[in-house]
Structures are given as structure tokens and as C-alpha cells.
Amino acid sequence: MKIQTVATMPFDDQKPGTSGLRKKVAAFKTPAYLENFVQAIFDSITAPVGSVLVLGGDGRYYNCEAIQIILRMAAANGFAKVLVGQGGILSTPAASCVIRKTRSFGGIILSASHNPGGPEGDFGIKYNTGNGGPAPEKITEAIYACSRSLTQYRIADAADVNLDRIGCQMVGDMNVEVIDPVADYAELMESLFDFAAIRALIGGGFRLCFDAMHAVTGPYAIEILEKRLGAPAGTVINGVPLPDFGEGHPDPNLTYAHELVAIMYGADRASTPDFGAASDGDGDRNMILGRHFFVNPSDSLAIIAANATQAPGYVAGLAGIARSMPTSAAADRVADKLGIPCFETPTGWKFFGNLMDAGKVTLCGEESFGTGSSHVREKDGLWAVLFWLNILAKRRLSVEEIVHRHWAEYGRNVYSRHDYEALPADIAAELMAHVKSQFADLPGRRLGDYTVKFCDDFSYTDPIDGSVSSGQGLRIGFKDGSRIVFRLSGTGTEGATLRIYLEAYSSDPATQRADAQQALEPLIDIAHDLSQLKQRTGRESPTVIT
Ligand code: VG1
Ligand code: CO
């Protein structure tokens, strides 16, 4: 095998964010940009010669070209074998599943998740470790440090691999096995959930609609929902992965999943499906809808926790629950009742890995439509959908009824997130600094009907390895448990995205079913005052409300 060592100059902007490195496609196509980052990964992880790597992506524009480059680099860097999804496809949870099942050294996933794709869109790359989960911060920091001092990368001279042909091929001395991207994942799902009960539910006339948003989950959803669970053909809409996601924005929320929302809020209630769901670009997030009903992701985590033993994979109960800091405390209430621990971590799935590896938690969730468990080490969109279907099959109630009964039992953490996208970075930074500058005076102060109990810039000490992550979001907690959090996104590629997370607890069944935006209005006003939002940004309303 002929290996080239190519001299290169470092780039100074290859710092991974909340979930890998994301940039415009044009940036990734800059000569040596992708190669440098991949070499930085290989240099930082020091995989022993002969290691196995898993490789795949969400099918977006540039996916297959990048895969060919990474294969040649893996060969030049001493990997013995790479398992790559057919057509270059592997959803994030499926990649996690394959890394674990095959005990591979790690994996590279090509995705910018919910960010739009296409030549003008975004591309991304993330590294997962041998436990199947996102690289922890100490590895992403090492990769970044390496990327800043890189002088060369190694690449083999070899022809392209046929990514469509299942089976083994060689790249130089390295074996490349093209695998079915769905099979291992579908088998894992079948081991966790009561497929017979779900089949019976669907066979009995229960109607569902799954919007794959032309992103990676199409083939997974068609295999599992339509083929294995017997849902009629057409249950999965937008099921073919497209390089530009059909010019859509594969973010499963009420704004971007508008096609599904229109179906689930259809004028004729009787013909509206009983259950709707959508997943994001790389298949790790989910939105759950009932007929004319939206399930808040924080509630979804709590409801899955409260009903977990309905699913065969979880009959033994849960070791514990973890949620990201901005996620509502609905899951905490369930954990309390179950007598199990609940951990609060920074945003991003990488913070759950240690807790799952140590057996301290079974379920994890984020307010951003991410839910998952220790079956893999990533959040998992279809898994959440199947969990809901399993619960619905067992309880035989509507989605809405399940949520209402949950609130009646536990109280409701009324919740919403307001995003202000594409703000100038300096204005967003100044707004955050302004909020923080008031922290010394806020505790004890009365703002409207609320009294401030505490405020801080969230910092997390990992209970397993003691690593500290600071600057994870500004929290303002009120005496009655209500909360406002300000945080800047770590996944965008243009300017800054400000996220304002709002939460108010309601134990009164009479007002519990109120519209979340109305119920949160006083907190929204406080958030705007504290941040001088309108003066500073000139924005009258959020870009996205969830
Ligand atoms: C967002 C979400 C976060 C999620 C991350 C990656 O991050 O808020 O909860 O883990 O996306 O998800 P940020 O930094 O933009 O708030 V995904 O599906 O894009 O891999
Ligand atoms: Co995602």
C-alpha cells in the first residue's frame, strides 16, 4: 500500500461544539480541512495498530466523498478494518449500536444533525469512543489542540470503495466491510420492546404517521414500523434520505416538521392519526405528537420513566435518570417517587456517558427532543417512538390522556424554549454578560410574582471522573421552583443562537392544562427585562418556540 504524507497548515477553527465539528460545506471542502480534522482525531485517540473503526453518516451532501477520504486516511493510519454503512448511511444511534456490538475501537459519524444540508448548507463530523458514545470533553479538547499544531496528514493511494455493495473490499491493506445500516439496530429494538403488543395495537386500527424529514431515519422507520410492526405502507413520510433533506430543515419541532404538524392537527379530527412522530437529520432526536396534541420533550422523558416497566427491556426498573440542566424537572419528580437518583448535567449527550457506563442511570433526556437509554450511548429518536408505542399498546389510552394523567399525578412542569437564531455573536455575548452582571443583586429580589432564590453560571463536576465543565448556562431559580435559563447554542454555524428556557411548576389540576405560552407569560416578561432582549437584539419574537 502506498501511503502519502502530505504537509499541511493547521486551521484555528476546528473546535468541536456541543456535538462535533460543524461548518458550512464550503469550509469542509477547503483543501485539507477535512483531512486535518480527521488526522487530529487519529493522532489524539492513538488507536492501537489493528483497531476497527465504524463509519457512516446521515446521508447529507458531501457524506460519501468524505467517507472515501476517511477510508483512505484510516488505511494510512493503521486501522485493520472499517465497518461502513451501506450507501454511507448510519444513523447516530445505529452507529453507537454497531460500535458496541462489534467492540470496535470507536467510530466517526458524519452529520450536522438538524442543521440544513446541501451545497450551501452545513456538514459535520464527530468522533465516538469504544463505549459507543460521543467523545468526552477531554478527547474533544485534545483533538482541538492537535488540530492547531498539525503539520501533516497521512492518506493511502487507493481507489474508491463501492459503498453500495454489502461485503468486504480492500483499501490498501485495510479491510472495509460495507454493512446493512439497519439490521443490528432493528434487532436491538426488537429485544427491548414488545413488538407483538405494538403489532396488535396497529392491527386493531391505531393509526400513526412518522416523518423522516428526508433524513437518515427513513430506512430504519420503514423497516421497523412498516415491515416488522405491520403499519401500512405510507406510514413513513419523507422516507428517502436526500443530500439536501428535500430543502427542508430536519429539526423535529413544531416549526420545522410542519408537514407532520399539519397532518396531526388536521381539521377532520376523525381522520387524524392517533400518533405522530418525527426525527432529526441523524436520527437521534424525536418529536412525539398525539391527535391535536404536542408532547413536550421534558414531559416525554418523565412519562417514559414513569411507564418504563411496560417495556420488556426495562421490566427490572431503572437505575437512575439523568437530564441536561435546561431540561425541566418533570423527570426529577418521577425519580423521586421511584426512589432512584436523578442527575443534572450540562447540555450535550457526552455528559451522560460516564453515568451510563458506571451503571448509575438507565434513562437520559434533553429538552431538545433527545431521549435515550443505556441500550446505546447516544440519544435515540426511533427508540423513543417505539417506547411510546409500547406504552400506548399496553395502556390503551390516547397520547393526550397519558400526558394528562401524568400531570394529575405528578403536577406539571410547564415548559418552553425560545430560540433567537442568527444573532450577531457580539450582541449575544454582551446580552449574556449583562444578565450575569446582575447576579450579585438578584437573590431575594421580587420580580413580578416571583422571588429569586438563586442564580449562577452552571458548572458541572462529573461524579465519575471528577472533570469540571463550567460556563454551561445562566440559571435564575425562583422560590416556587420556577426557572429561567439563558444559554448560547454550541451547534450553529452562523452568528449566535440564544436559547431562553422557561419553566413554571403547576400542581393545580384546574389550571394544569393551560396553554404553555400563556402560563409562562410572566416569566417571559421577566426574561426579556433581565436581558434587555428587545433593545439589544431588535427582535420582537423568537425564531423558534418549542
Ligand atoms: C443542541 C441541543 C442539545 C443537543 C445538541 C446536539 O445543542 O440544545 O440538547 O444535545 O443540539 O443534538 P445546542 O448547543 O445548539 O443547544 V443533535 O441532534 O444536533 O446531535
Ligand atoms: Co441529531
Side-chain angles (χ1 to χ4, degrees):
M1 173 173 67
K2 186 161 182 298
I3 294 172
Q4 281 186 45
T5 300
V6 182
T8 189
M9 297 281 283
F11 294 89
D12 62 3
D13 66 344
Q14 297 195 322
K15 187 177 171 60
T18 313
S19 178
L21 180 70
R22 295 186 191 180
K23 298 282 172 199
K24 291 275 169 222
V25 165
F28 267 104
K29 282 188 161 180
T30 308
Y33 194 88
L34 173 71
E35 290 84 347
N36 271 22
F37 191 71
V38 172
Q39 189 63 54
I41 294 176
F42 291 156
D43 286 353
S44 323
I45 61 175
T46 54
V49 171
S51 295
V52 179
L53 190 71
V54 172
L55 179 61
D58 63 11
R60 70 176 59 224
Y61 182 81
Y62 200 51
N63 190 49
C64 288
E65 290 93 321
I67 284 178
Q68 300 291 358
I69 292 171
I70 296 169
L71 286 173
R72 298 211 305 278
M73 289 186 67
N77 280 274
F79 284 90
K81 181 171 184 177
V82 176
L83 298 164
V84 54
Q86 188 180 27
I89 291 287
L90 272 178
S91 77
T92 289
S96 184
C97 162
V98 173
I99 294 170
R100 293 171 68 76
K101 186 173 173 182
T102 57
R103 297 175 193 278
S104 291
F105 185 81
I108 291 179
I109 304 170
L110 303 172
S111 172
S113 190
H114 57 280
N115 300 24
E120 312 299 325
D122 290 348
F123 191 75
I125 172 165
K126 45 190 183 174
Y127 177 70
N128 281 30
T129 49
N131 70 347
E137 276 191 328
K138 64 173 188 304
I139 295 183
T140 55
E141 273 156 23
I143 294 171
Y144 178 47
C146 199
S147 77
R148 302 191 64 168
S149 60
L150 206 71
T151 56
Q152 56 182 45
Y153 66 83
R154 286 186 296 285
I155 188 158
D157 275 342
D160 278 358
V161 163
N162 180 347
L163 293 175
D164 294 325
R165 200 178 75 219
I166 299 263
C168 291
Q169 302 166 54
M170 297 303 283
V171 170
D173 302 335
M174 185 183 79
N175 189 347
V176 175
E177 185 178 352
V178 176
I179 60 168
D180 177 339
V182 178
D184 295 317
Y185 178 82
E187 180 188 291
L188 177 61
M189 292 303 113
E190 227 168 325
S191 75
L192 297 174
F193 300 112
D194 190 338
F195 271 38
I198 302 173
R199 226 177 279 124
L201 176 78
I202 293 172
F206 178 93
R207 275 173 308 140
L208 66 155
C209 179
F210 181 92
D211 188 352
M213 304 186 83
H214 285 305
V216 81
T217 33
Y220 297 85
I222 290 169
E223 170 65 27
I224 294 173
L225 299 177
E226 296 186 3
K227 298 209 177 120
R228 300 197 184 196
L229 291 169
T235 295
V236 177
I237 59 171
N238 302 317
V240 178
L242 295 177
D244 64 350
F245 308 120
E247 294 184 3
H249 196 140
D251 206 350
N253 59 40
L254 294 173
T255 306
Y256 293 121
H258 38 77
E259 192 174 338
L260 176 73
V261 170
I263 292 170
M264 294 307 296
Y265 286 81
D268 176 18
R269 255 181 177 266
S271 65
T272 303
D274 302 280
F275 179 85
S279 196
D280 71 333
D282 59 334
D284 57 358
R285 291 194 280 134
N286 70 92
M287 176 169 72
I288 304 292
L289 300 174
R291 185 177 290 151
H292 289 225
F293 191 80
F294 167 70
V295 183
N296 184 282
S298 294
D299 284 340
S300 177
L301 172 66
I303 289 164
I304 288 175
N307 292 278
T309 53
Q310 304 271 2
Y314 303 85
V315 274
L318 308 173
I321 306 173
R323 62 161 173 87
S324 67
M325 180 275 282
T327 305
S328 94
D332 305 38
R333 297 178 188 282
V334 177
D336 236 26
K337 194 155 185 177
L338 294 172
I340 56 174
C342 187
F343 296 84
E344 185 176 37
T345 61
T347 294
W349 212 259
K350 58 185 171 227
F351 295 103
F352 294 134
N354 276 350
L355 294 168
M356 287 192 271
D357 285 351
K360 292 201 177 296
V361 302
T362 311
L363 282 190
C364 303
E366 296 193 281
E367 47 62 42
S368 53
F369 300 86
T371 340
S373 88
S374 49
H375 67 290
V376 289
R377 291 293 181 275
E378 285 279 7
K379 50 193 186 285
D380 189 344
L382 257 177
W383 168 91
V385 171
L386 291 168
F387 217 133
W388 266 93
L389 289 173
N390 194 134
I391 294 167
L392 291 163
K394 288 291 169 71
R395 292 191 60 187
R396 298 285 173 151
L397 297 167
S398 70
V399 171
E400 184 172 4
E401 192 57 30
I402 285 181
V403 175
H404 284 165
R405 289 193 189 191
H406 186 88
W407 290 343
E409 186 174 350
Y410 294 91
R412 177 183 178 195
N413 289 71
V414 184
Y415 187 86
S416 183
R417 184 177 101 184
H418 290 192
D419 294 335
Y420 293 82
E421 295 177 336
L423 294 174
D426 52 341
I427 287 184
E430 282 161 25
L431 180 147
M432 292 292 281
H434 174 68
V435 171
K436 204 173 167 179
S437 72
Q438 302 164 75
F439 276 8
D441 303 329
L442 276 181
R445 245 180 73 192
R446 216 169 154 70
L447 302 172
D449 290 341
Y450 295 94
T451 306
V452 178
K453 187 175 169 194
F454 73 95
C455 38
D456 65 5
D457 190 345
F458 182 61
S459 175
Y460 176 69
T461 304
D462 186 294
I464 312 301
D465 66 15
S467 58
V468 177
S469 305
S470 49
Q472 297 293 330
L474 304 178
R475 303 195 289 183
I476 298 152
F478 299 97
K479 287 232 161 93
D480 69 345
S482 300
R483 224 172 42 143
I484 300 172
V485 175
F486 294 88
R487 197 183 144 264
L488 295 183
S489 156
T491 55
T493 57
E494 258 176 58
T497 293
L498 170 70
R499 305 200 195 284
I500 304 179
Y501 309 82
L502 306 140
E503 176 177 0
Y505 180 65
S506 158
S507 58
D508 178 4
T511 56
Q512 236 165 38
R513 298 184 188 180
D515 172 71
Q517 299 310 316
Q518 269 168 20
L520 291 167
E521 224 167 68
L523 280 178
I524 296 170
D525 289 344
I526 295 170
H528 287 189
D529 282 352
L530 282 175
S531 61
Q532 301 177 331
L533 187 104
K534 287 183 187 163
Q535 300 93 299
R536 286 176 181 276
T537 66
R539 299 280 179 91
E540 285 297 320
S541 52
T543 334
V544 180
I545 295 181
T546 46

